[in-house]
């Protein structure tokens, strides 16, 4: 079955750029979405169709997808961006990556 | 404002079934797909399956084939997920998620989750 792999954790200093990767066979041929989840909250869509931002999501969130890797980039990371991030793609159903804990310190 | 209102927490015995509901409040129901996603304590997100009410078609993750039923009642704007033969590993928060106009499996709206605890 199809699988998406994310690093368990990423750390970034406030104001710097955070990059979270998501790897899967031929992922670049599919659309990737990204979700942010803070403790005790439901997931929130932050990127869809590789590069699009839903209304209300800050411009500092951006995405890319090529080859076998999709990347979520957060520019000028803020303390409020500390959360778990999940990538997601569709392949005969829906698949989520294992999640990446982003720490802002 | 559109909301997905889910049913409350459930405590179930191993081997039993649970049925969780998700009502759309303040918005359209039939034009969207609905999925169920679960999250075990301290774990990641796991897609269970989804339904497109207007087509009355559903599909499921291989892991749950034969054990899950997903239905939709257009008259009450409510989607349901029933999971049978419960075991302790099914203890999780079960989320309802609505697809978007850009894609059935782009989850732009989520419910608050329903905690299901399986324990003897």
């Amino acid at each position: 079955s199809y699988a998406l792999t994310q690093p368990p954790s990423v750390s970034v200093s406030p104001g710097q750029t955070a990059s979270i990767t998501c790897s899967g066979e031929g992922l670049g041929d599919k659309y990737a979405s990204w979700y942010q989840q803070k403790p005790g909250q439901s997931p929130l869509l932050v990127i869809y169709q590789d590069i699009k931002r839903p209304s209300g999501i800050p411009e500092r969130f951006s995405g890319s997808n090529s080859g076998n890797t999709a990347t979520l980039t957060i520019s000028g990371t803020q303390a409020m961006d500390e959360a778990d991030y999940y990538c997601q793609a569709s392949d005969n159903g829906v698949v989520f990556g294992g999640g990446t804990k982003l720490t802002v310190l | 404002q559109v909301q997905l209102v889910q049913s409350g927490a459930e405590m179930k015995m191993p081997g039993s079934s649970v049925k969780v509901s998700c009502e759309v409040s303040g918005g359209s129901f039939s034009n969207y797909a609905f999925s169920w996603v679960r999250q075990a304590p301290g774990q990641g997100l796991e897609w269970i399956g989804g339904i497109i009410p207007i087509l009355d078609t559903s599909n499921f993750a291989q892991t749950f084939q034969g054990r899950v039923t997903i239905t939709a009642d257009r008259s009450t704007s409510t989607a349901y997920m029933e999971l049978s033969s419960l075991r302790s590993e099914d203890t999780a928060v079960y989320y309802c998620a609505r697809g978007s106009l850009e894609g059935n499996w782009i989850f732009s709206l989520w419910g608050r989750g329903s905690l299901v605890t399986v324990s003897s």
Side-chain angles (χ1 to χ4, degrees), chain A residues 33 35 37 40-45 48-49 52 84 86 88 90 92-99, chain B residues 35 37 39 43-47 59-62 95 100 102-103 105-108 110-113:
Chain A
S33 297
Y35 299 85
Q37 186 181 34
Q41 297 185 17
S42 302
L44 172 71
L45 179 69
Y48 67 99
Q49 290 178 346
K52 298 180 180 179
D84 294 326
Y86 295 90
Q88 176 234 322
S90 298
N92 194 26
V94 172
V95 179
F96 286 98
Chain B
S35 279
V37 177
Q39 186 170 37
Q43 302 301 307
L45 304 174
E46 182 178 26
W47 183 73
N59 62 336
F60 310 99
Q62 190 80 16
Y95 291 103
S100 73
E102 289 85 356
W105 315 124
I106 297 172
F107 305 134
S108 56
W110 294 68
R112 291 191 165 196

Side-chain angles (χ1 to χ4, degrees), chain B residues 43-82:
Chain B
Q43 302 301 307
L45 304 174
E46 182 178 26
W47 183 73
I48 299 170
I51 188 167
I52 305 173
I54 200 168
L55 300 177
D56 200 23
T57 58
S58 55
N59 62 336
F60 310 99
Q62 190 80 16
T63 309
F64 299 97
Q65 293 275 2
R67 207 160 66 93
V68 67
T69 304
I70 296 177
T71 56
D73 183 340
R74 293 166 65 183
S75 68
T76 60
S77 298
T78 303
Y80 299 90
M81 187 281 302
E82 184 169 20

Side-chain angles (χ1 to χ4, degrees), chain B residues 80-115:
Chain B
Y80 299 90
M81 187 281 302
E82 184 169 20
L83 187 62
S84 61
S85 302
L86 290 170
R87 35 205 186 237
S88 58
E89 309 90 89
D90 294 317
T91 294
V93 174
Y94 288 75
Y95 291 103
C96 170
R98 192 192 74 175
S100 73
L101 294 177
E102 289 85 356
N104 289 331
W105 315 124
I106 297 172
F107 305 134
S108 56
L109 183 65
W110 294 68
R112 291 191 165 196
S114 301
L115 175 62

Side-chain angles (χ1 to χ4, degrees), chain B residues 1-5 22-29 34 76-78 98 109:
Chain B
Q1 183 157 346
V2 185
Q3 293 184 71
L4 302 182
V5 181
C22 169
E23 180 183 358
V24 176
S25 172
S28 172
F29 179 76
F34 291 86
T76 60
S77 298
T78 303
R98 192 192 74 175
L109 183 65

Side-chain angles (χ1 to χ4, degrees), chain B residues 8-21:
Chain B
E10 301 256 19
M11 179 83 75
K12 293 292 182 179
M13 296 285 287
S16 67
S17 299
V18 67
K19 191 171 186 177
V20 185
S21 67

